[in-house]
Amino acid sequence: MRRARFLGLLYLNLATLFWGSTFVMVKDGLATLEPSQINFARFSVAALFFLPVLLGQNRALWWAGLELGAWLFFAYLTQTVGLQYTTASRSAFITTLYVVALPLFMGLFGRRLQWPVWVGAGLAILGVGLLSYDGSPPNLGDLWTLGTALCFTFYIWRMESHTQRFPALPLTGVQMLVVAVASGLWTLFEKPTWDFGAFPYGSILYLGVVASALCIWLQALGQRTVPAPQAAVVFTLEPVYAAAFAYVLLGERLGLQGVVGALLIVAATLISQLSGEKPRPERATEVT
């Protein structure tokens, strides 16, 4: 059981590590592409990797993937649109509000959570606030990104349930296909122009293969053994990893406020794992 919990946390941390590198790439892509184009391109690339495993899957798995894919599509839609108006750091902070919204929502449905989850959630929000606060006034992008936090709240909650019933690979594949198709319909609404001479091929390839296909699969694997509230706290490490990437690749350094914020997030992650809530079984019951 401990080994399963450790592997689950490892998968979630790896996904969060890769996600920490994506905000700058999305901002870079927005210089030449519309939000719908970025999402359509990245998730089309991601879906290609899973097409072989989707053959012969039953209707129940497709419905589960459709539900998760819908939440994921609206999460990325609101986040990408929001990044047109707000900064990457503000986007990271507001998105992370799901770490508090998720236990509140689950509490409404009668799920009792132990004190480490609530302490960890509070410390995580405080830490992300210190790490990401840039002093600028609220804007339209912040409102859009609040929608992102709400969508990820439901997505993480429902992911916990579906990963107990279905294998991770095809479940992830259906989600990638759903988001790709929905994003394609979005491009028809926006009617953007495609300039393939200025197309950010490298960024889209990374966003599709690593930040979408690989990370969502790792999340599905991780949430089979790590309960949703603890998983949400782990995901708050994203801006910490983003700051680490900025330090290594760009030479950016955190001030004292940022260092304190990063340490609070790490502490929140560790404290949340002290919860008395039982981890998920090592092997989930799959519907094939």
Side-chain angles (χ1 to χ4, degrees):
M1 191 69 71
R2 289 182 179 179
R3 178 178 178 273
R5 182 64 167 265
F6 173 79
L7 287 176
L9 289 171
L10 177 62
Y11 295 144
L12 295 179
N13 271 276
L14 283 175
T16 308
L17 174 65
F18 291 126
W19 279 327
S21 65
T22 62
F23 284 93
V24 174
M25 290 190 176
V26 173
K27 289 287 285 187
D28 176 66
L30 286 171
T32 54
L33 298 175
E34 295 295 327
S36 60
Q37 291 174 295
I38 292 178
N39 284 349
F40 175 61
R42 70 181 284 188
F43 285 101
S44 294
V45 170
L48 290 175
F49 286 86
F50 294 96
L51 289 180
V53 302
L54 296 182
L55 298 176
Q57 297 297 330
N58 64 35
R59 186 178 300 177
L61 184 141
W62 278 93
W63 278 113
L66 178 62
E67 180 195 354
L68 291 175
W71 287 119
L72 195 61
F73 166 70
F74 285 111
Y76 279 107
L77 183 154
T78 52
Q79 186 178 67
T80 309
V81 173
L83 279 168
Q84 290 184 302
Y85 307 102
T86 193
T87 63
S89 60
R90 287 281 285 276
S91 177
F93 168 60
I94 296 172
T95 298
T96 311
L97 291 177
Y98 61 68
V99 76
V100 171
L102 182 62
L104 288 174
F105 175 79
M106 297 180 76
L108 293 176
F109 282 81
R111 183 162 167 178
R112 298 184 62 182
L113 302 176
Q114 303 297 321
W115 67 265
V117 174
W118 293 104
V119 173
L123 287 177
I125 288 296
L126 178 60
V128 175
L130 290 173
L131 188 62
S132 305
Y133 179 68
D134 59 9
S136 59
N139 55 62
L140 180 62
D142 297 342
L143 183 61
W144 275 101
T145 312
L146 280 174
T148 307
L150 183 62
C151 289
F152 275 127
T153 296
F154 287 99
Y155 178 74
I156 296 169
W157 172 52
R158 296 300 294 155
M159 174 73 85
E160 179 186 74
S161 173
H162 289 314
T163 53
Q164 302 306 303
R165 301 179 57 218
F166 304 106
L169 273 177
L171 183 64
T172 304
V174 175
Q175 293 177 68
M176 298 300 97
L177 187 60
V178 168
V179 180
V181 172
S183 298
L185 296 175
W186 184 14
T187 63
L188 296 178
F189 175 77
E190 284 193 338
K191 298 180 179 179
T193 57
W194 293 86
D195 182 3
F196 292 103
F199 195 85
Y201 293 99
S203 295
I204 292 299
L205 188 63
Y206 181 85
L207 289 171
V209 176
V210 178
S212 299
L214 177 61
C215 287
I216 299 300
W217 176 58
L218 288 171
Q219 181 181 358
L221 289 175
Q223 284 201 239
R224 295 174 77 169
T225 56
V226 179
Q230 285 95 317
V233 176
V234 173
F235 294 147
T236 62
L237 285 168
E238 184 175 327
V240 178
Y241 290 135
F245 275 112
Y247 174 77
V248 173
L249 300 178
L250 304 176
E252 296 181 1
R253 296 180 180 273
L254 292 175
L256 178 60
Q257 176 178 302
V259 171
V260 172
L263 291 176
L264 284 175
I265 295 171
V266 173
T269 305
L270 296 175
I271 290 173
S272 71
Q273 302 309 317
L274 299 176
S275 171
E277 187 171 3
K278 295 181 180 180
R280 302 296 171 184
E282 184 171 358
R283 291 188 62 84
T285 301
E286 298 176 353
V287 176
T288 58

